[in-house]
Amino acid sequence: MTENLANPKNTIEIIKKYEFTFQKRFGQNFLIDGHVPEKIVAAAGIGKEDTVLEIGPGIGTLTQYLAREAGQVVAVEIDRMLIPILEETLEGFSNVTVINDDIMKCSLKKLCDEYNGGRPMKVVANLPYYITTPVVMALLESRAPIRSITVMVQKEVADRMQAGPGTKDYGALSLAVRYHSRAKIVADVPPNCFMPRPKVGSAVIHLDCEGMELLPEEEEKRLFALIKAAFGQRRKTLPNAVAGSGALPYDRETVAAALERLGLKPTVRGEALELAQFEALARELDRRN
Ligand code: SAM
């Protein structure tokens, strides 16, 4: 059966047929409104030349839309109870491979090598909310060839991903997103587009990773260790937060002096610095150490 699943009737029908019960621990909220997968596919700019990695296909609702547009779809689903359902709902598509695994245990580089000859993939997902941030961070930090990431997340997480300095939403996630991509929220999605309904609103965010210039791996690690230390205790001044984190070999005086050399006050907090300033501070600390 390749009947469209993006409506309550067909979703209930297939779930009943397989006596499937929703697993809260896997963050299962399936899409039941066809406008949403259409928007996701359009935002991701999927064409026949693309190989798409889908995280958490569920019963295959979004997968069907992806399979119609893409050259190939590789879908990783943790819940083995969904595998027989996906066999039925994706039966009509010869360009879909379903893998029963935990995405957090998969090597993204290996997936790109195996399914796309090492060429960049586009990642698309209606992410399970219990691991949204770890999954996005793993994708960004993987150094796997990823062209773009188009994902449904809680509205509040989408806001954090797009936030700028001096706002309450700004943090390590915003900086990681800014470093790896150009981010754009492309749609707000209300709870009634899902079954079961989540308690919070959602949003689709598109991260375009193409052509981003990354630092050498070691420098990048030091930069993000600094950023994580700065936001680990975000109410503290930067010198106190970094020295107090224990994650970096700098005492508060060293950090204060480096800030001053960059024309910044030693009382500044991490939340006031933009990415270029964190990069300059990481370089300054490294140079003097
Ligand atoms: N894509 C479907 C849709 O839009 O209707 C389902 C989305 S649902 C929000 C999240 C899906 O991710 C569920 O099918 C869930 O079982 C799966 N999932 C949860 N944790 C996962 C993990 N660690 N690795 C792979 N899939 C996971």
Side-chain angles (χ1 to χ4, degrees), residues 180-200:
H180 287 279
S181 70
R182 293 165 291 275
K184 192 172 174 216
I185 294 178
V186 291
D188 283 332
V189 182
N192 62 9
C193 294
F194 303 87
M195 182 185 291
R197 287 184 190 202
K199 288 200 179 72
V200 293

Side-chain angles (χ1 to χ4, degrees), residues 24 33 39 42 44 56 98 104 122 164 184 197 283:
K24 225 178 166 179
D33 182 328
K39 278 186 195 162
V98 174
M104 296 305 284
K122 290 184 175 173
K184 192 172 174 216
R197 287 184 190 202
R283 267 197 309 273

Side-chain angles (χ1 to χ4, degrees), residues 45-62:
I46 306 291
K48 288 290 170 222
E49 66 286 2
D50 291 316
T51 295
V52 175
L53 169 62
E54 188 192 5
I55 300 166
I59 56 172
T61 312
L62 175 58

Side-chain angles (χ1 to χ4, degrees), residues 46-52 66-67 69-73 94-96:
I46 306 291
K48 288 290 170 222
E49 66 286 2
D50 291 316
T51 295
V52 175
L66 294 168
E69 303 301 323
Q72 214 193 145
V73 181
S94 56
N95 59 344
V96 181

